[in-house]
Structure formats: structure tokens, C-alpha cells
Amino acid sequence: MIRTKINWAALTLAAALALHPAGAAAQHAYSINVLNQRTIALTAQYWNPIVTYASRKSGVPLELKLAKTAKEGNAIAEGFGYDFLYTNHFFTPERDKLGFKVIARPAGPGIRSQIVVPEESPIQRLQDLEGKDVAFVSPDAFAGYWLPLDALLKAKVKVHVVFTGNQEASSAQLKVNKVAAAGVNGSVLARYARRESFAYRALWTSELYQDLCVMANPKVPADKVEAVRAALIGMAKDPEGLVILQAGAELLKSTGELGFVAAENRDYDNYRKFYRTTQVK
């Protein structure tokens, strides 16, 4: 474990240095914003080596830009303040019109939203949550707000909404019994639970949706977008890239497939359908 931590620290330090090589000041750095699912520190620790690898392999200087909150990051992105995004917040009718292009997503089957309680909780069904505190990420969160709140509304269950700021904060509040339940991205909660030895039960699980995706600002030149896309989807097949992905999986306690695969806007059509039919206002 100590060796793993040292190796990951070395990777992160190398990533930070590589993001600013000699002469880099003369180049235009393309920014990439990552959605706040976890703490800023953990997000940076995971993503800096990936961004550095993609920058070097693509020849496109990339810089990780993290906002304090998802709301702040989304507002900047709506003003085209980032060149690339890693998010699933841009399929609402309003944001869909902005023209961000899906170019890649994590390998694997996708994600599901869940409404969960601690394993020992007496709560057995959604109706038992009537009037209780339930943790949600933010008003923008797809798996951490829109999907689970829609399920509660359709079940005619009224709860007290508690916004926590990110997925792992919701999980942490649930673990210490500050809330009765939490609406979460099931994959993020599973990784948190493995790291924190937290046992939980799902009261409700959504259908499958594609995972968060890498999106390109429509103002970024097509050749730059394609170079970044190729670097990301080739990462798992490159020994150097694979080492970074394996270290990241160990950091988050992820299981399953590693790396990124090509993706397109139409792969996220069930997001768009949901927003057209949801009861959440």
C-alpha cells in the first residue's frame, strides 16, 4: 500500500511538471473541466496524469481546470469558458443547444442512479422516506438529483432535499447518518463504499445511462479535437497509458474496464428523452 501511494504521488508530481514544460508559456493551453463528483484534491489526483498523458500523446497542450462547485463549472462552460468538458450535465434542452460535441466516454456499460440507505437502516421502501432528509448532489446533477428525485415524485413521496455539493459528500453524510437516504451515481458510491468499508442497500435503481463523457467546445479546431480523442481512446492499449489507468483505478478502488472508448452525441439520447418527460421542475 505504501509503495502504491508513493508511485501514485510520483505520477501526480510528474503530471504537474509535464503540464508546464519549458516554453509552454508560448503555447495556447486548451482547458478541460472535470465535473465535481469527488473532492477537488481527489479529482486532481486522478485526472492530472490522464490529462498530461493525453496532452503529450495528442500534441495538444491541455490544462486541467477545476471549479469549486459543479454550478460554478457549468456556468463557465455555458459561456464557452472551457475547451473540453468531462460531464453529463450538458444534455438539458438549454445546454444541448450550445453545440458541445461528445468525443469519448469511459469504457464499460454505463451508470445507474440509485436511492440508497445504510444497510442497517429500518427504511425498506421509498414510501418510508416521506418527510425525511435525503441527500442530493446539486440541482444540476443527473444521477445525483434529477433521476432519483423524479423517481420519488412518481412514487408520490415528498422528502426534504439536502444538497451536499458532490457525490462522495452525499455518501459520507449517509454513512454518518446525517441523512436518511441519498440519491447517487451507483458507480461512484460503490467505489466510495469499497474505500470506506460502508455497507448500504438500494431502495431504487434507474435504467442504464451512458457514463459521463468528454465533450469538445464547438470553437476548438476539429484537428485538435480529433487528436485528443485519439489519445484518450488509445490510452488503455499503450503500456504507458495503461499504467496510469491502473494507478487511477487503485486510487478510486474502481473495478471493471479501464480507459476510454469513442462516443457520439446520439449515445446520450436517453438523457434527452428523460429531460423531456421528467416530473422534476
Side-chain angles (χ1 to χ4, degrees):
M1 181 58 70
I2 292 176
R3 181 179 296 275
T4 299
K5 289 182 179 178
I6 292 173
N7 288 344
W8 183 253
L11 273 172
T12 304
L13 177 59
L17 294 173
L19 280 171
H20 301 284
Q27 303 182 56
H28 168 68
Y30 290 83
S31 57
I32 177 168
N33 172 256
V34 173
L35 182 65
N36 301 55
Q37 289 185 297
R38 303 176 176 87
T39 65
I40 289 178
L42 187 57
T43 301
Q45 204 176 352
Y46 179 80
W47 273 93
N48 263 328
I50 294 173
V51 170
T52 301
Y53 171 90
S55 181
R56 187 169 62 255
K57 289 293 181 177
S58 67
V60 179
L62 298 171
E63 184 177 10
L64 182 64
K65 291 284 189 178
L66 300 177
K68 291 181 180 179
T69 64
K71 181 179 180 180
E72 177 185 300
N74 287 340
I76 294 171
E78 287 170 358
F80 300 101
Y82 299 121
D83 298 302
F84 295 92
L85 306 175
Y86 180 68
T87 186
N88 63 351
H89 287 188
F90 272 63
F91 301 108
T92 63
E94 298 78 13
R95 291 174 181 153
D96 205 25
K97 296 175 183 176
L98 297 176
F100 281 82
K101 178 184 178 183
V102 175
I103 62 173
R105 62 170 176 82
I111 61 172
R112 296 182 191 272
S113 173
Q114 293 185 312
I115 297 174
V116 299
V117 296
E119 187 175 58
E120 70 279 5
S121 171
I123 293 171
Q124 298 296 322
R125 57 194 187 121
L126 293 183
Q127 285 71 21
D128 296 335
L129 293 174
E130 181 72 31
K132 291 185 166 51
D133 290 349
V134 177
F136 299 93
V137 177
S138 75
D140 281 334
F142 184 68
Y145 176 70
W146 283 86
L147 285 172
L149 185 59
D150 183 73
L152 288 165
L153 290 173
K154 287 177 178 175
K156 303 186 184 307
V157 176
K158 294 182 180 180
V159 300
H160 178 227
V161 173
V162 178
F163 288 124
T164 64
N166 64 66
Q167 295 276 354
E168 294 209 346
S170 292
S171 303
Q173 289 206 18
L174 186 65
K175 182 184 178 185
V176 298
N177 295 308
K178 283 192 173 182
V179 291
V184 295
N185 176 325
S187 299
V188 177
L189 174 60
R191 293 162 189 157
Y192 172 90
R194 283 192 288 270
R195 296 200 315 272
E196 301 294 330
S197 300
F198 173 50
Y200 63 93
R201 288 184 287 108
L203 302 178
W204 169 87
T205 300
S206 76
E207 68 174 271
L208 190 68
Y209 290 84
Q210 293 289 7
D211 208 337
L212 280 68
C213 57
V214 180
M215 306 182 80
N217 186 319
K219 298 181 180 181
V220 177
D223 61 328
K224 304 294 186 185
V225 172
E226 181 55 34
V228 171
R229 174 183 172 277
L232 289 172
I233 65 178
M235 194 171 180
K237 298 177 182 178
D238 176 15
E240 178 187 352
L242 184 59
V243 168
I244 293 172
L245 293 170
Q246 289 172 334
E250 171 62 24
L251 177 72
L252 299 183
K253 299 304 178 188
S254 298
T255 59
E257 298 178 60
L258 297 176
F260 299 86
V261 297
E264 302 177 21
N265 278 35
R266 64 184 179 183
D267 296 336
Y268 291 79
D269 280 349
N270 63 344
Y271 279 75
R272 299 179 178 92
K273 179 181 178 181
F274 169 82
Y275 284 119
R276 290 195 301 267
T277 60
T278 180
Q279 292 188 18
V280 181
K281 305 299 181 183

